[in-house]
Amino acid sequence: MIRLDSLKRTPLYDIHKKYGAKMIDFAGFEMPVQYESILKEHEAVRKNAGLFDVSHMGEIIVEGKDSEKFINYMVTNDITKITENQAMYSPMCYHNGTTVDDLLVYKFSYEKYMLVVNASNIDKDYKWLWENKNGFDVEIKDESGEISELALQGPKSQEILEKITNYDLDSLKYYHFDYMDLDGINCLVSRSGYTGEDGFEIFLKNEYVANMWEKILSVGENLGIKPAGLGARDTLRFEAGLPLYGNELSDDITPLEAGLGSFVKLDKSFIGKEALLNQKEEGLKRKIVGFEMSDNAIPRHGYDVYSEGEKIGYVTTGYLSPTLKKNIGMALIKSQFATIGNEINIIIRNKPYKAFVTSKNFYKKNYKK
């Protein structure tokens, strides 16, 4: 068991303690799982706004004349399709097609990009990039320790951010970013997030993040903003059908199995292409599906899934949905059982509980186009 006092901390650690956060070990960081309650923080994001510390995420800079070519070889999506000041989501694979990580690619220019990677994978991703840079004229730098990141999410997030900037936020479209002055601080702001709501991700130097956190909460107080922890972050992303590395993606799960085929461009060259092409041609043997409980029981990550006495997979994520008030989940199961409406059994405390397969998109996303 990892002792909390041996974990890494973000620059907002003292602020979290001030706000009464319950701290947990997450990806080697001591992070807030909740402040008031997961339910209240979840509801604040759906109805008003929530502010998250996501400074544990990694930022890797790739620069050089071959930057575009190199990154396009490393990820499954086609980053040649994005313009400057635009971001793109993509998995990154091993040669066998399983997933190194899923990440965001930020394009500053053809010769400079930023990769925003999962906290648990920073060192692994950085090493993987370095191991595959031979033949490409690029420099790779891990700036994760120098950059803090806040996520302001919810339908009132723009109204709140407008109180501390003169930037025309209506002009900032979904998955685009720009530098802007926020309360006198130069920040990189992206219209993106991980909740199914409109919102912004704010990158800034570590020394400014505590004041920025307090300022945003102060100006948003009358609009119902709440500080939100990783608990609400997980329930929000799950309702919106968004994958979490370590659950719906891993070094044992391919992007195709996870239902991310639209982010895998098999008409270009990338690491893992041959394996994924073969998997697609042979047909998927298992898939990530959504499901809803018929019986009154809450599914959890790791629970076995059965059908007619046969084990067919396991639950990757499961909750009582705060928004939908239903017991729902996602599971990796054998493809022949993945038809929507198909009845399955979730094994909870050695007892089978009935459920049925549904779409993974439980909650309609409210992104600004």
Side-chain angles (χ1 to χ4, degrees):
M1 182 175 180
I2 298 176
R3 289 172 35 169
L4 287 182
D5 59 10
S6 69
L7 299 173
K8 292 179 280 189
R9 293 171 174 173
T10 76
L12 286 175
Y13 174 79
D14 289 338
I15 295 285
H16 297 319
K17 299 298 285 186
K18 171 185 171 182
Y19 280 82
K22 178 183 178 183
M23 308 297 285
I24 61 165
D25 168 18
F26 181 82
F29 285 82
E30 191 172 359
M31 296 294 293
V33 65
Q34 67 179 64
Y35 300 86
E36 188 175 357
S37 78
I38 292 174
L39 178 60
K40 289 182 179 179
E41 293 157 29
H42 180 110
E43 291 178 341
V45 174
R46 288 281 181 251
K47 296 176 181 178
N48 301 306
L51 184 64
F52 300 82
D53 176 17
V54 287
S55 301
H56 60 311
M57 300 289 283
E59 293 85 19
I60 298 173
I61 305 298
V62 178
E63 288 188 272
K65 70 175 186 179
D66 290 339
S67 293
E68 181 181 75
K69 187 188 303 183
F70 171 65
I71 296 172
N72 214 38
Y73 174 66
M74 296 302 299
V75 303
T76 65
N77 212 339
D78 187 356
I79 69 159
T80 67
K81 303 299 184 183
I82 59 175
T83 60
E84 293 183 5
N85 286 54
Q86 190 173 1
M88 175 178 274
Y89 171 81
S90 181
M92 178 167 66
C93 289
Y94 292 109
H95 291 283
N96 68 357
T98 63
T99 313
V100 180
D101 202 1
D102 63 330
L103 49 87
L104 288 177
V105 180
Y106 284 67
K107 180 176 181 177
F108 295 100
S109 70
Y110 289 104
E111 297 189 2
K112 184 178 180 181
Y113 292 80
M114 178 172 71
L115 308 182
V116 180
V117 304
N118 285 299
S120 59
N121 294 332
I122 296 172
D123 293 340
K124 180 181 71 173
D125 290 1
Y126 185 65
K127 181 181 178 184
W128 182 246
L129 292 166
W130 266 95
E131 287 176 350
N132 290 281
K133 71 185 286 291
N134 290 340
F136 294 96
D137 185 358
V138 293
E139 292 296 327
I140 305 169
K141 184 179 179 182
D142 179 9
E143 295 191 353
S144 307
E146 304 166 31
I147 300 173
S148 289
E149 182 185 354
L150 301 178
L152 173 61
Q153 299 283 293
K156 295 183 181 178
S157 56
Q158 177 168 327
E159 187 178 355
I160 291 169
L161 205 59
E162 285 173 338
K163 294 180 179 294
I164 58 171
T165 187
N166 291 322
Y167 189 97
D168 178 13
L169 293 173
D170 280 332
S171 69
L172 189 67
K173 302 306 180 185
Y174 186 53
Y175 263 56
H176 286 72
F177 65 93
D178 204 353
Y179 284 99
M180 63 184 71
D181 181 300
L182 299 183
D183 196 39
I185 304 301
N186 187 40
C187 302
L188 188 154
V189 179
S190 170
R191 190 163 216 138
S192 55
Y194 194 50
T195 61
E197 301 295 337
D198 186 26
F200 304 89
E201 293 178 296
I202 302 164
F203 301 85
L204 68 170
K205 292 182 179 179
N206 291 339
E207 57 262 38
Y208 301 125
V209 69
N211 287 339
M212 187 62 65
W213 173 275
E214 296 280 34
K215 187 66 176 182
I216 292 173
L217 288 179
S218 175
V219 300
E221 183 177 5
N222 292 335
L223 294 171
I225 193 173
K226 287 184 181 293
L230 295 179
R233 182 172 163 86
D234 197 38
T235 55
L236 289 158
R237 70 89 195 165
F238 162 66
E239 285 184 346
L242 301 173
L244 173 65
Y245 191 89
N247 291 39
E248 289 73 41
L249 285 168
S250 73
D251 58 9
D252 184 53
I253 302 172
T254 74
L256 298 182
E257 291 173 330
L260 300 175
S262 61
F263 305 103
V264 177
K265 306 305 182 185
L266 293 169
D267 59 350
K268 62 141 196 164
S269 177
F270 62 88
I271 293 177
K273 174 182 177 177
E274 184 176 347
L276 293 176
L277 194 58
N278 289 339
Q279 187 177 59
K280 184 174 182 179
E281 290 175 350
E282 292 173 0
L284 296 175
K285 294 181 172 58
R286 55 185 192 167
K287 295 179 180 178
I288 295 283
V289 299
F291 67 87
E292 180 180 330
M293 299 299 300
S294 303
D295 289 336
N296 185 24
I298 301 176
R300 299 294 186 196
H301 171 77
Y303 286 1
D304 288 338
V305 181
Y306 274 69
S307 179
E308 298 180 354
E310 176 189 354
K311 182 180 176 181
I312 62 171
Y314 63 92
V315 175
T316 57
T317 303
Y319 283 110
L320 167 59
S321 164
T323 303
L324 305 177
K325 313 300 182 188
K326 296 178 180 179
N327 295 320
I328 55 177
M330 289 190 277
L332 180 63
I333 64 174
K334 293 180 180 179
S335 295
Q336 62 264 39
F337 299 96
T339 305
I340 289 180
N342 189 50
E343 185 175 291
I344 55 177
N345 291 315
I346 312 300
I347 308 302
I348 304 174
R349 292 181 293 279
N350 298 317
K351 180 180 177 182
Y353 288 82
K354 291 181 181 179
F356 58 93
V357 176
T358 67
S359 165
K360 299 190 299 291
N361 300 317
F362 304 108
Y363 176 76
K364 184 179 180 181
K365 304 175 183 67
N366 290 313
Y367 301 135
K368 184 181 179 72
K369 302 302 182 184

